[in-house]
């Protein structure tokens, strides 16, 4: 993309309404625009990052054996009356009446709808296990929408639902989700710690929230510092293996890590004092096992091997796709702007032309642009007729991890400058070597799943 032809409405001023850094930077870098409280348009570059996040979520869900689909945003109230949640959910539920006077609602989550689909089509244990998911907009009429996309009213969520014959099978699905979530967040450059949590209006016995540590997080968290040493990394895992998934759950949940809702001061006190941590975190996902909470009232049953009708065991599993963008920025920025992790960056590499209109510099930038594209990378070329200082400030603000700077002086010596946004370190290289270096970095961040 050439910046002169793109739509990147960066702001010079710091927006006064934004209280936290991610919100400020999302507005300043032209990623989002508020349309009403807690409801945002995703401007082109914000939309690009959102799709990158979404893609990683899809890839890791599909890798774990979960099946993508899409359910509508507007749901019939009848289903929610059947489950009892129409009344229980309260004022966060946006209730709508259509012209036929039917009660509808804008879905805040989809347990009822997926259970309805299940009961219409599945009747035998032979069709289990089954995990379906979608990535769809949700609406919750939050009392205090704030912090930009962090606590929106309309937000994008991945929600997945597992259907299993037994509690043991459903717990395997739970563990499988935990593993896939660890991978998902790490690919976005985040450490998200699973913490024992409270189940809230979803209900159920077993639940973990995934928290990204950040001072601006809305949740208070208590944990053993040892947990932050754990990395999932690039280990191979067989998602069908009950033992392997269970072992990961044990590894990542055996140390104390809880949100304030389930915090137990006596247990916490048993951790050696120098390892006790009280901090704040951003909830970027949650997994639940809730047994037959929805299959009972909605009569979602299967026939087991003995011919008995039994309710299915279920769980639901959410990732805050749009909130993640805020969380990533909270975790990765400096005083000059965003620092995108390679996995989600809107463009792979910036190209800054120090002397627009200089025939040699222009030609070198064009050649770099093509060379990056030929490696399957997407460059953002600042081809505007601006001063170098302004171009650098824009690049720093929008946070592309790599920048190649081209100027007549360097070109005389056959070199361009490759700069890492994260470390600020620059190196002079031939244009070919710079492209090769950038391509090599992104090898580890290639899409992995053709099914997406
Ligand atoms: P919270 O406690 O933050 O209100 P929740 O526990 O009600 O969230 P879940 O039902 O667990 O939310 O939804 C799954 C994920 O969706 C959450 O982990 C969070 O990342 C995201 N999410 C929930 N509410 C919002 C919101 N208002 N804006 C943006 N993302 C949200
Ligand atoms: Mg939650």
């Amino acid at each position: 993309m050439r910046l002169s032809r793109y739509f990147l409405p960066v702001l010079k001023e710091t927006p006064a309404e934004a209280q936290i850094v991610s919100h400020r930077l999302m507005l300043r870098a032209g990623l989002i625009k508020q349309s009403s409280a807690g409801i945002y348009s995703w401007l082109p570059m914000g939309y690009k990052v959102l799709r990158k996040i979404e893609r990683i979520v899809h890839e890791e869900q599909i890798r774990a054996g979960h099946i993508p689909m899409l359910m509508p945003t507007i749901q019939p109230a009848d289903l929610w009356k059947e489950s009892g949640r129409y009344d229980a959910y309260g004022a966060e539920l946006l209730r709508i009446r259509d012209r036929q006077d039917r009660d509808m609602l804008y879905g805040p989550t989809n347990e009822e709808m997926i259970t309805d689909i299940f009961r219409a089509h599945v009747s035998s244990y032979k069709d289990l296990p089954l995990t379906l998911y979608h990535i769809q907009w949700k609406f919750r009429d939050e009392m205090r929408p704030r912090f930009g996309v962090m606590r929106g009213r309309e937000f994008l969520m991945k929600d997945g639902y597992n259907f299993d014959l037994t509690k043991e099978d459903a717990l395997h699905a739970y563990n499988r989700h935990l593993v896939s979530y660890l991978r998902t967040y790490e690919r976005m450059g985040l450490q998200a710690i699973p913490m024992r949590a409270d189940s809230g209006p979803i209900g159920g016995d077993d639940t973990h929230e995934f928290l990204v540590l950040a001072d601006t997080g809305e949740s208070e968290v208590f944990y053993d510092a040892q947990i932050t040493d754990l990395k999932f990394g690039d280990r191979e895992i067989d998602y069908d293996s009950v033992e392997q998934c269970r072992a990961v759950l044990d590894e990542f949940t055996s140390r104390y890590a809880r949100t304030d809702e389930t915090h137990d001061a006596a247990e916490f006190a048993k951790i050696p004092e120098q390892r006790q941590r009280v901090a704040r975190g951003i909830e970027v996902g949650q997994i639940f096992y809730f047994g037959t909470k929805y299959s009972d009232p909605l009569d979602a049953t299967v026939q087991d091997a003995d011919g008995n009708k039994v309710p299915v065991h279920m769980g639901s599993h959410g990732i805050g796709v749009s909130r993640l963008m805020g969380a990533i920025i909270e975790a990765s920025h400096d005083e000059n702007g965003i620092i995108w992790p390679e996995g989600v960056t809107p463009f792979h590499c910036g190209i800054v032309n120090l002397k627009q209109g200089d025939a040699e510099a222009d030609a070198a930038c064009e050649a770099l642009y093509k060379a990056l594209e030929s490696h399957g990378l997407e460059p953002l070329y600042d081809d505007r007729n601006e001063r170098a200082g302004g171009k650098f400030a824009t690049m720093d603000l929008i946070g592309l991890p790599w920048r190649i700077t081209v100027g007549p002086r360097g070109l005389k010596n056959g070199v361009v400058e490759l700069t890492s946004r994260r470390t600020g370190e620059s190196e002079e290289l031939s244009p070919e070597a710079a492209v090769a270096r950038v391509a090599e970095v992104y090898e580890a961040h290639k899409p992995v799943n053709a099914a997406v």
Side-chain angles (χ1 to χ4, degrees):
M1 178 57 64
R2 287 166 172 75
L3 196 47
S4 63
R5 301 184 199 170
Y6 199 42
F7 181 62
L8 183 67
V10 298
L11 306 179
K12 290 242 156 50
E13 306 296 318
T14 299
E17 75 270 25
Q19 299 165 29
I20 61 171
V21 65
S22 58
H23 188 194
R24 278 198 293 277
L25 288 173
M26 286 184 78
L27 293 169
R28 283 194 54 215
L31 305 182
I32 52 168
K33 179 179 185 312
Q34 180 172 306
S35 92
S36 53
I39 304 180
Y40 291 87
S41 291
W42 297 82
L43 303 179
M45 212 168 64
Y47 179 53
K48 257 169 129 11
V49 178
L50 193 65
R51 285 193 341 236
K52 294 257 170 126
I53 294 173
E54 234 184 308
R55 185 179 177 101
I56 292 175
V57 173
H58 270 304
E59 287 192 342
E60 294 306 328
Q61 286 308 299
I62 291 172
R63 202 206 295 260
H66 307 157
I67 304 169
M69 62 179 296
L70 187 61
M71 290 176 269
T73 52
I74 307 286
Q75 305 186 19
D78 282 347
L79 277 176
W80 286 64
K81 290 177 180 162
E82 247 187 279
S83 74
R85 277 209 294 185
Y86 192 63
D87 294 324
Y89 213 91
E92 273 187 20
L93 189 62
L94 182 65
R95 295 152 212 261
I96 306 166
R97 182 155 295 159
D98 71 11
R99 67 200 296 169
Q100 315 290 352
D101 251 1
R102 271 186 295 253
D103 286 329
M104 312 291 285
L105 55 94
Y106 196 124
T109 177
N110 282 61
E111 281 81 8
E112 286 79 358
M113 184 166 281
I114 196 79
T115 309
D116 182 50
I117 292 169
F118 180 88
R119 70 181 171 185
H121 298 290
V122 181
S123 54
S124 162
Y125 74 97
K126 291 179 189 152
D127 294 325
L128 304 181
L130 179 65
T131 296
L132 300 166
Y133 78 93
H134 71 164
I135 298 181
Q136 177 61 293
W137 294 94
K138 303 291 185 291
F139 196 93
R140 295 182 186 175
D141 204 352
E142 301 272 357
M143 174 85 100
R144 267 192 304 279
R146 57 183 185 155
F147 301 159
V149 300
M150 237 24 135
R151 181 162 299 283
R153 292 197 296 163
E154 187 186 61
F155 60 96
L156 192 59
M157 194 208 282
K158 168 261 160 183
D159 41 325
Y161 305 87
N162 66 284
F163 299 91
D164 289 278
L165 183 62
T166 64
K167 177 170 182 180
E168 292 70 55
D169 291 352
L171 289 177
H172 173 54
Y174 184 91
N175 301 347
R176 212 170 53 225
H177 278 89
L178 182 128
V179 178
S180 70
Y181 280 27
L182 291 171
R183 287 185 93 123
T184 301
Y185 300 122
E186 282 191 15
R187 282 187 64 188
M188 297 174 191
L190 287 175
Q191 179 170 43
I193 304 171
M195 301 201 180
R196 183 153 288 287
D198 186 56
S199 63
I202 309 279
D205 316 329
D206 253 310
T207 182
H208 281 90
E209 284 178 358
F210 289 76
L211 286 115
V212 172
L213 298 173
D215 293 341
T216 50
E218 290 187 277
S219 316
E220 186 169 33
V221 297
F222 302 81
Y223 62 95
D224 177 343
Q226 273 191 345
I227 203 162
T228 55
D229 297 335
L230 298 175
K231 297 270 176 307
F232 188 80
D234 53 6
R235 35 181 125 165
E236 284 297 320
I237 186 142
D238 174 1
Y239 278 106
D240 289 332
S241 162
V242 170
E243 295 72 31
Q244 286 185 27
C245 292
R246 173 83 216 189
V248 174
L249 172 110
D250 287 343
E251 180 185 345
F252 280 82
T253 62
S254 57
R255 289 172 191 78
Y256 190 94
R258 298 194 186 187
T259 61
D260 50 1
E261 294 148 351
T262 56
H263 177 55
D264 176 338
E267 281 295 310
F268 187 64
K270 291 182 193 159
I271 307 167
E273 209 173 320
Q274 74 279 10
R275 292 198 338 238
Q276 293 176 7
R277 295 286 184 282
V278 182
R280 302 200 71 81
I282 302 165
E283 181 195 332
V284 291
Q286 187 164 11
I287 53 177
F288 300 90
Y289 162 71
F290 47 67
T292 60
K293 179 177 157 74
Y294 296 91
S295 48
D296 278 335
L298 292 164
D299 199 24
T301 58
V302 290
Q303 231 164 30
D304 68 12
D306 304 322
N308 302 317
K309 250 176 92 175
V310 294
V312 285
H313 286 259
M314 291 175 61
S316 72
H317 315 277
I319 293 183
V321 173
S322 50
R323 177 181 288 181
L324 269 166
M325 203 182 307
I328 290 167
I329 297 173
E330 287 295 324
S332 186
H333 67 270
D334 64 13
E335 65 281 5
N336 297 321
I338 301 167
I339 306 173
W340 290 117
E342 271 89 358
V344 300
T345 183
F347 295 94
H348 297 103
C349 183
I351 303 173
V352 169
N353 189 342
L354 291 177
K355 197 153 188 213
Q356 207 67 44
D358 176 274
E360 225 187 314
D362 290 1
C365 288
E366 292 296 334
L368 278 170
Y369 193 100
K370 289 210 177 69
L372 287 163
E373 278 191 329
S374 73
H375 281 86
L377 300 173
E378 196 181 9
L380 180 68
Y381 171 22
D382 191 344
D383 58 345
R384 297 169 306 159
N385 226 332
E386 273 231 11
R387 285 183 311 112
K391 290 189 176 186
F392 290 143
T394 302
M395 280 293 172
D396 283 351
L397 174 63
I398 66 175
L400 309 185
W402 297 95
R403 182 186 85 205
I404 300 178
T405 308
V406 179
R409 204 177 318 149
L411 287 177
K412 280 211 177 67
N413 302 320
V415 296
V416 294
E417 193 181 60
L418 177 65
T419 306
S420 156
R421 175 71 181 86
R422 186 168 296 280
T423 64
E425 282 164 24
S426 290
E427 201 182 338
E428 292 198 326
L429 295 166
S430 71
E432 297 73 28
V435 169
R437 180 76 60 80
V438 174
E440 192 188 312
V441 170
Y442 283 104
E443 268 307 306
H445 300 278
K446 284 244 162 80
V448 293
N449 202 323
V452 176

